[in-house]
Structures are given as structure tokens and as C-alpha cells.
Amino acid sequence: MEQNLTKPQMIDPFGRTVDYLRVSVTDRCDFRCVYCMAEDMTFLPKRDLLTLEELDRMCSAFVDKGVRKLRLTGGEPLVRKGIMGLFRSLSRHRTSGALDELTLTTNGSQLAKYASELVDCGVERVNVSIDTLDHAKFREITRWGDLGRVMEGLEAARAAGLAVKINAVALKGVNEFEITDMMSWAHGEGFDLTLIETMPLGDIEGDRTDQYLPLSLVRQRLEETHTLTPIPHKTGGPARYVEVAETGGRLGFITPLTHNFCESCNRVRITCTGTIYMCLGQDDAADLREPLRASESDELLHAAIDEAIGRKPKGHDFVIERAGAAPSVSRHMSMTGG
Ligand code: SAM
Ligand code: SF4
């Protein structure tokens, strides 16, 4: 969509326009994916969380400052009580044209319940995370998840008219040899598929070197049987896309480890407690909850946002460390919002 030049823009020190905000609305989840969480997670006390009204104010302040794409994530966004109220109230920014996109990333467990209401709120696309099509393996990866329910969610999404992108984390020895089948399935269903490398975020009670599968290898293997043509398709995210001649579908690669994508970074992330992280792979952060709560007007909040954007770092430098080493970044993806 055309850039609205009358709207303010947030420009970071490296000249990048920040127009994409990802908000983790809860650190809780009804799954415990092995690469994302420990089984026995300690979640934040509810009083530390921004209320839904505060989340609305926070998101709206960013929209006022030039954000054009807003993604709610988590944890699992659809398990936060009252979340549809937040979607409904944020939908005013879609109606006004201030936002080009209001969307979410979900594990799909609650999608059957909410798909049509999401469409009513101006959501047009959803990202649904599925790492395998094998029911038993799905249970193993998510520890608590039921693939059947997620599939019902996908059906509901389709019926409601939502475009679906499947996100799959490439996991060595787990879904490594299932990726071609997953691609055929996703493309057959009319869904895009994006593959993601595991990132070293948070302690997960295990060794990440056991899980890490470089997408360069996955791509090389796929190219033995498929014709992958790079295409300029952009969704505002870091994925690089190819078109697959044999399936006619789109396949994305998110490769924070084998190919650094920071040069074109256009986003910042907010946690459910109102901390802004200017880079997923760095620890530097700023508290926005205090300026938000300090006054009813948004001046302090706007100033704190400007200050944070003014120190957005150039990029991350993930390395999957040797066995036993601490993760590169100690917070979990569910905290910062994947
Ligand atoms: N619960 C929702 C879901 O699973 O889609 C939204 C939050 S989840 C943290 C967002 C995405 O991050 C998911 O696609 C998940 O697979 C991915 N993810 C979680 N931990 C990751 C890690 N350490 N490395 C790479 N991707 C990760
Ligand atoms: Fe939950 Fe998503 Fe993390 Fe899985 S990846 S545990 S579904 S937040």
C-alpha cells in the first residue's frame, strides 16, 4: 500500500523506517513446544501484565507514530482472556486506514472458535505454527498440543476467508525429512509455508545444538527434487521467498543463523509487561509501562518510544553455542513475541 506521507515516521539511527510492531499479549500458552519453552515454565504474575486497555493505548501510540503493520503474538495470543475485545478495538485503525494490516501469530488451538470474529475485526491473514503433520510427533514437539484441533482451526480460518501462512521450525531429526511432505500439503491447501531456523532464545531444558537444522541444507535437499525460483514477495517480515514450480506455491525461509537479515529490519517488539525490545537478538530494552502509566496523555510515552527507537541496534549475531552453553539471549521467544 502507498505510504501516507502526512503520517509521522519512526526512523532508527541506521536510516531504517520502523513501521511494524509485534506485541506479545501474554507470556502464557496452552502448548509447551520443546524449542520454545521448558515444560515447567514460571509465568509472570498477572498484575505485571499490561491490561487490555493499556495494550490498546500502547499499540495506538505506535500507530500514531507511524506503525502500519501490527501483529499480536505471545505466548499464545488467543488464550489471553478478553483478547477479542482488544482486536475489536484495534480494528478502528484498520477502518481509519492508519494500519495496513492487523494480524496475529497463533498455534491454532483456539482458531476454530475465533476465526470468523477475527475477520470481523479486519484481520485478513494469520500465521499458524505447525511443525509436523504427524499427530504423535506433534504431541511430542508441543508436549500438550492436539493437531486435530489445529486442523479444525485451519478449516475455520479457510471458511472465514482468512489467508493462512504456516510457520514451521526446522528441527534436526524431528521434521527434517518431512519438509517436502509439509510443503506439498500446505501448497495443496493454498497456504504459504515459511521455514524458520531455531534461535537460541531462553533456557529450554535441553541442548539446542541437538535441534538446529540449517535451512541452507534443507534448501539444498529440496532443490534436488524441486525447482525453487526466488521471488520478490514481501510480507513485511524477514522471510525470503521462492516459488516452487512443482507445487505452484510459495515457500519462505527465515534464516537468522545462516543468513543475517538485519539490514532491512523494520520492526520492534513489545512484551506483555510493556518492555520494548529494539532487536529480537539483543538484550537492550526500554520500559514503556512506566511512562504509559505516569500520565493519561501520551507525551511521556511518545518521548520514551523516540528514545528507544533512537538506540535500535544494527543487528543481532546469533550463534548456536556448544552443548551446555547458555542461550545467546536469556529471555524466551514467548516473552518477546515470536
Ligand atoms: N504461540 C504462537 C505460535 O506458536 O505461533 C505465537 C508465539 S510463538 C513464540 C511464534 C513463533 O515463534 C512460532 O512460529 C514458533 O514456532 C517460533 N519460535 C518459538 N521459539 C523459537 C525459537 N527458539 N527459534 C525459532 N522460532 C521459535
Ligand atoms: Fe506456545 Fe507458540 Fe511457544 Fe509453542 S511456539 S510453546 S505454541 S508460544
Side-chain angles (χ1 to χ4, degrees), residues 2-274:
E2 249 176 60
Q3 190 76 267
N4 180 352
L5 294 176
T6 57
K7 210 177 154 184
Q9 291 195 341
M10 291 184 283
I11 315 269
D12 81 355
F14 302 94
R16 297 170 297 192
T17 302
V18 177
D19 57 5
Y20 181 8
L21 177 68
R22 302 173 66 111
V23 182
S24 175
V25 296
T26 174
D27 61 334
R28 290 164 198 253
C29 188
D30 51 347
F31 291 3
R32 291 288 182 279
C33 301
V34 291
Y35 49 79
C36 180
M37 292 192 182
E39 185 157 19
D40 178 22
M41 289 286 285
T42 310
F43 293 111
L44 293 163
K46 291 215 170 85
R47 63 176 179 277
D48 286 356
L49 265 56
L50 295 183
T51 64
L52 293 167
E53 291 73 22
E54 287 172 333
L55 280 166
D56 184 311
R57 222 182 114 197
M58 182 75 84
C59 293
S60 302
F62 275 89
V63 172
D64 288 345
K65 291 192 74 60
V67 157
R68 300 208 60 89
K69 174 168 171 174
L70 180 58
R71 178 179 298 277
L72 302 193
T73 176
E76 174 47 41
L78 296 182
V79 301
R80 170 107 193 224
K81 211 162 152 216
I83 192 64
M84 292 316 296
L86 180 61
F87 272 105
R88 196 157 288 282
S89 107
L90 290 172
S91 70
R92 70 187 185 279
H93 300 304
R94 283 285 290 131
T95 314
S96 75
L99 270 184
D100 294 333
E101 186 164 25
L102 172 62
T103 185
L104 73 156
T105 300
T106 174
N107 65 22
S109 69
Q110 313 295 315
L111 204 48
K113 192 153 101 199
Y114 292 127
S116 68
E117 212 176 333
L118 286 167
V119 171
D120 283 348
C121 296
V123 175
E124 291 172 2
R125 301 190 302 155
V126 284
N127 287 1
V128 183
S129 305
I130 301 179
D131 303 321
T132 178
L133 296 174
D134 178 301
H135 286 253
K137 217 186 268 184
F138 187 85
R139 170 74 63 164
E140 271 171 44
I141 296 174
T142 59
R143 291 195 183 105
W144 299 359
D146 174 0
L147 182 58
R149 263 184 84 182
V150 176
M151 290 295 173
E152 285 165 22
L154 289 177
E155 267 317 306
R158 187 203 305 282
L162 284 168
V164 173
K165 178 162 80 73
I166 304 292
N167 281 345
V169 176
L171 297 162
K172 186 156 109 190
V174 179
N175 59 7
E176 181 169 2
F177 296 106
E178 210 195 314
I179 287 172
T180 314
D181 288 347
M182 284 195 69
M183 182 176 80
S184 305
W185 165 77
H187 290 174
E189 297 286 325
F191 305 149
D192 286 351
L193 172 68
T194 295
L195 303 173
I196 309 173
E197 283 173 345
T198 52
M199 293 172 235
L201 303 174
D203 192 357
I204 50 159
E205 294 168 349
D207 180 1
R208 287 190 190 273
T209 46
D210 288 347
Q211 302 178 341
Y212 175 57
L213 173 64
L215 287 183
S216 48
L217 178 62
V218 172
R219 184 169 177 157
Q220 201 181 319
R221 287 184 186 150
L222 272 174
E223 279 176 332
E224 287 168 15
T225 48
H226 292 77
T227 314
L228 311 184
T229 310
I231 49 169
H233 178 66
K234 279 269 158 227
T235 58
R240 285 170 305 138
Y241 283 89
V242 297
E243 196 167 80
V244 183
E246 290 72 9
T247 60
R250 270 194 303 246
L251 177 66
F253 295 91
I254 299 186
T255 54
L257 288 115
T258 53
H259 175 92
N260 199 300
F261 46 58
C262 304
E263 331 64 82
S264 57
C265 184
N266 59 345
R267 80 215 51 197
V268 288
R269 294 171 157 86
I270 306 254
T271 69
C272 52
T273 58

Side-chain angles (χ1 to χ4, degrees), residues 244-310:
V244 183
E246 290 72 9
T247 60
R250 270 194 303 246
L251 177 66
F253 295 91
I254 299 186
T255 54
L257 288 115
T258 53
H259 175 92
N260 199 300
F261 46 58
C262 304
E263 331 64 82
S264 57
C265 184
N266 59 345
R267 80 215 51 197
V268 288
R269 294 171 157 86
I270 306 254
T271 69
C272 52
T273 58
T275 300
I276 177 171
Y277 282 93
M278 289 74 87
C279 173
L280 178 63
Q282 301 273 358
D283 281 325
D284 193 23
D287 173 43
L288 299 181
R289 188 177 54 183
E290 211 214 282
L292 176 93
R293 288 184 175 169
S295 86
E296 278 179 18
S297 90
D298 284 344
E299 268 166 51
L300 293 172
L301 179 59
H302 279 228
I305 294 171
D306 287 341
E307 194 276 331
I309 300 293

